[in-house]
Amino acid sequence: MRKIFGVLAVLLFITGCEQKTKPIVKKDKDKIDVASHPFDADSAFAYVKAQTDFGPRTPESEAHEACANFLMTKLTQFCDTAIVQPFVAKTYDGKRFNSQNIIGSFAPEKENRILLGAHWDSRHIADMDSDPEKRNLPIDGANDGASGVGVLIELARQLQINSPEIGIDIIFFDAEDYGTPSGENIDGDWWCLGSQHWTTHPHRENYRADYGILLDMVGATDAKFSHEGFSIFYASQILSKVWGTANRLGYGNYFINQRANPITDDHYYVNKLAHIPMINIVHQDKNTGTGFFPHWHTQNDNIHIIDKNTLQAVGKVLLEVIYGEQAPENQ
Ligand code: AHN
Ligand code: ZN
């Protein structure tokens, strides 16, 4: 008798386990199936490291050129179309740099689209470094630049495996981070030269997207993404959608429901000049003095400060938002 009970108990246990691991099918838009949209943070991390391994990607450097080829190869591999948009960046110090925005698209024929962006250049100086000797050297920009690009390449890889209903454009802006050194005031818009070019010269005539999401500094440990000021002003609905999704997925520790200062970043020009509502998922910190993550614009912004858990949180939230969008004819 004991033996029979034992066998029964084991059987019940096994069938119980099976039921628990059965995939949950997504039935309606509000129910989120956490298991269905994988994002591989190891892969995203490898894409971040591939960029920093080239060295600082400052304008017209060898590392910059090599990285452009790498990014173009990846977007060509994963997207339906990929193009380079060349332009000349005119900088605060009177230089002229040959620069490139790099753009990959999924289903370019679809009208309903989301624009995803990040900058791929890294800063030419470490003007926030505590060591004056290091301040004139360029930085790896593992978090400031490479993290957003790494997340978006992994995202592209996933979107090729599992097509979303809407079209997607991924744009890697060049020459974002060649702004004036801290403490210098030179009249003009010297940050975000790639997005300023693209918004005034879109890669396709009459280009439109329903909305945009910019990633900047999305790889540090315990990153906090607050409601950045221009995102609230120009795209509050998108902000609510993304932060709401993050909270439902259990990433409320990264995506904080708190207001933060506006930042002149690529999304500002996309909002202001292209009139596409775009939010910025950006690591802001009131307590660091710079307003950003602790190693911002220092030599310590290198691969060692990149945390896969943060890449995972951002990647999962983006995938969930993207797969949650339906083309209007299917709604
Ligand atoms: C300003 O500090 C005005 N904008 C910061 C934009 C930026 C620099 N994002 C990354 N690096
Ligand atoms: Zn920067």
Side-chain angles (χ1 to χ4, degrees), residues 29-48:
K29 261 195 0 182
D30 302 325
K31 286 212 180 103
I32 285 183
D33 172 6
V34 180
S36 68
H37 307 136
F39 180 89
D40 188 337
D42 292 328
S43 174
F45 182 88
Y47 293 136
V48 177

Side-chain angles (χ1 to χ4, degrees), residues 130-325:
S130 55
D131 181 347
E133 304 226 323
K134 293 181 180 166
R135 280 183 205 148
N136 284 325
L137 299 173
I139 66 169
D140 280 352
N143 197 27
D144 187 358
S147 65
V149 171
V151 166
L152 291 182
I153 300 173
E154 169 58 10
L155 203 88
R157 195 175 73 83
Q158 296 295 342
L159 294 178
Q160 184 183 49
I161 296 167
N162 188 4
S163 297
E165 280 200 24
I166 36 98
I168 302 284
D169 302 291
I170 295 175
I171 179 155
F172 296 145
F173 293 117
D174 199 358
E176 188 274 345
D177 229 347
Y178 205 97
T180 43
S182 171
E184 275 184 46
N185 256 329
I186 303 169
D187 213 37
D189 284 15
W190 302 115
W191 300 90
C192 310
L193 302 178
S195 53
Q196 291 190 59
H197 178 81
W198 179 78
T199 50
T200 50
H201 306 80
H203 66 291
R204 277 173 63 175
E205 222 181 309
N206 301 317
Y207 175 81
R208 290 303 305 163
D210 297 299
Y211 63 87
I213 301 174
L214 181 71
L215 306 183
D216 198 3
M217 320 178 206
V218 293
T221 304
D222 295 332
K224 302 279 176 255
F225 309 118
S226 305
H227 299 184
E228 177 272 338
F230 287 130
S231 307
I232 301 174
F233 184 78
Y234 286 109
S236 61
Q237 283 192 1
I238 312 309
L239 196 70
S240 302
K241 186 199 291 251
V242 174
W243 264 249
T245 303
N247 277 275
R248 282 199 297 280
L249 286 176
Y251 292 124
N253 47 338
Y254 292 100
F255 289 77
I256 304 294
N257 288 311
Q258 174 181 290
R259 298 164 83 92
N261 286 335
I263 300 165
T264 308
D265 208 338
D266 293 314
H267 72 309
Y268 172 72
Y269 296 98
V270 173
N271 280 300
K272 184 121 200 229
L273 302 179
H275 308 289
I276 295 169
M278 188 182 215
I279 60 160
N280 193 4
I281 300 179
V282 56
H283 185 164
Q284 291 179 273
D285 189 336
K286 280 191 299 230
N287 304 315
T288 53
T290 66
F292 298 107
F293 70 103
H295 307 298
W296 187 65
H297 292 182
T298 73
Q299 294 299 334
N300 293 326
D301 180 4
N302 58 40
I303 194 68
H304 304 297
I305 66 158
I306 300 299
D307 187 327
K308 288 175 189 175
N309 297 307
T310 309
L311 302 176
Q312 179 76 20
V314 174
K316 283 290 293 182
V317 169
L318 283 185
L319 279 179
E320 207 60 45
V321 167
I322 290 166
Y323 289 123
E325 296 292 357

Side-chain angles (χ1 to χ4, degrees), residues 106-115 165-169 208-211 325-329 331:
F106 291 91
E109 74 288 351
K110 286 189 178 164
E111 239 181 71
N112 289 93
R113 326 194 51 74
I114 304 176
L115 174 67
E165 280 200 24
I166 36 98
I168 302 284
D169 302 291
R208 290 303 305 163
D210 297 299
Y211 63 87
E325 296 292 357
Q326 280 152 326
E329 60 267 23
Q331 274 170 4

Side-chain angles (χ1 to χ4, degrees), residues 15-27 31-38:
T15 50
C17 282
E18 259 172 23
Q19 264 167 0
K20 261 184 223 148
T21 54
K22 253 189 202 160
I24 310 149
V25 178
K26 189 170 175 180
K27 291 218 177 77
K31 286 212 180 103
I32 285 183
D33 172 6
V34 180
S36 68
H37 307 136

